[in-house]
Amino acid sequence: MEDDHDLRQGLAEYLRLSGITVTDLSSGISFYKASRTDVFDIAILDVNLPDASGFELARDLSAERRPGIIMLTARTGRDDRIRGYAEGADLYLTKPVDGEELLLAVRNLARRVRTAAVTKAERIDARQPAVWQIETQRRLLVAPGGVSLQLSGRELLLLEYLAQAEGATVARAGLAKHLGYGEMDVESRSLDAVLRRLRQKAQDCSIDLPLLVIHAVGIRFSALLVRT
């Protein structure tokens, strides 16, 4: 982004002829509008724009998923360089700039930005929640690692009820009623006996069962639980 028309057009044309897709803009407002609909690998920012500071634009970009930022400016002072990097610039180049130098800077920075984006996506994918599965027909609870627990009828009913809650806490009274217990059984710990046996099965198989009993509130399954 550069407000000097001739310089902007010259650099943009050089980059285009070198195989780079370029959107050349002359103001901060035009850049903000373009960034709403377009995704850029690299933003080349002049510091002195008619309606915005390149420093401010760099700071705004660094707040979210941002492109690589190259500051290209006539301001060569140490304080300006320090501020540029502090606001999020990856490179600080000064005018006049050699076209080949700028091209190599763009290519190298774009490569790093794309690699970082792929790595981030892989990390997000790796953090996807582990899925516990209830196999209703075979009365099994299958842990994310593939180990399965054979369920009694009431254990199956309990887990199906918790699966319907989708991670929310369910009241003891509602769960006890679903299992066929009366109101007195809620307080006589019949429900707790089912929970205890289920936990013991998991412990015997070295499985950490994400089943939480919240005192005076209810019970919830804290991982993703689905029926198959």
Side-chain angles (χ1 to χ4, degrees):
M1 184 161 34
E2 167 66 54
D3 61 338
D4 185 315
H5 178 271
D6 292 338
L7 176 59
R8 185 178 73 254
Q9 290 296 315
L11 291 176
E13 187 62 19
Y14 181 87
L15 293 174
R16 289 191 184 101
L17 291 173
S18 302
I20 305 296
T21 300
V22 179
T23 299
D24 59 281
L25 304 167
S26 61
S27 67
I29 291 178
S30 61
F31 177 77
Y32 281 125
K33 289 180 179 179
S35 63
R36 292 174 186 164
T37 56
D38 299 327
V39 177
F40 303 105
D41 289 326
I42 304 295
I44 303 174
L45 304 178
D46 186 11
V47 171
N48 297 317
L49 295 168
D51 60 347
S53 163
F55 294 134
E56 295 172 354
L57 296 179
R59 182 176 63 245
D60 292 343
L61 286 172
S62 64
E64 306 211 6
R65 186 269 174 195
R66 66 178 182 87
I69 298 175
I70 298 176
M71 304 295 294
L72 180 58
T73 175
R75 296 171 64 165
T76 61
R78 177 183 180 277
D79 290 345
D80 291 319
R81 290 176 177 274
I82 294 298
R83 183 179 177 187
Y85 287 117
E87 299 291 13
D90 296 286
L91 294 171
Y92 191 102
L93 303 179
T94 56
K95 301 174 185 175
V97 66
D98 181 81
E100 186 175 3
E101 179 185 0
L102 180 61
L103 172 63
L104 291 174
V106 167
R107 284 177 173 169
N108 290 341
L109 185 54
R111 189 181 304 118
R112 293 201 298 271
V113 168
R114 290 166 185 161
T115 299
V118 170
T119 301
K120 181 179 180 181
E122 290 173 345
R123 288 175 179 170
I124 291 174
D125 184 66
R127 293 200 301 268
Q128 292 300 313
V131 179
W132 294 70
Q133 300 180 56
I134 304 169
E135 294 190 11
T136 303
Q137 294 298 321
R138 296 197 295 162
R139 292 204 316 199
L140 294 176
L141 174 64
V142 183
V147 179
S148 61
L149 304 179
Q150 189 67 53
L151 303 172
S152 69
R154 280 200 165 110
E155 290 166 351
L156 177 62
L157 288 173
L158 181 147
L159 290 171
E160 287 179 332
Y161 194 81
L162 293 174
Q164 291 177 356
E166 298 181 339
T169 301
V170 300
R172 288 178 61 94
L175 186 52
K177 182 179 180 181
H178 183 72
L179 267 60
Y181 295 127
E183 292 184 4
M184 294 299 295
D185 292 304
V186 177
E187 299 303 325
S188 65
R189 305 305 179 188
S190 297
L191 178 58
D192 289 336
V194 178
L195 295 169
R196 186 168 57 252
R197 287 193 297 269
L198 184 56
R199 281 205 179 100
Q200 187 60 54
K201 287 181 180 181
Q203 185 176 337
D204 291 343
C205 295
S206 300
I207 295 175
D208 185 14
L209 192 66
L211 191 60
L212 303 180
V213 177
I214 305 171
H215 179 67
V217 178
I219 299 163
R220 76 184 184 96
F221 201 89
S222 62
L224 183 58
L225 180 63
V226 298
R227 295 175 60 183
T228 61

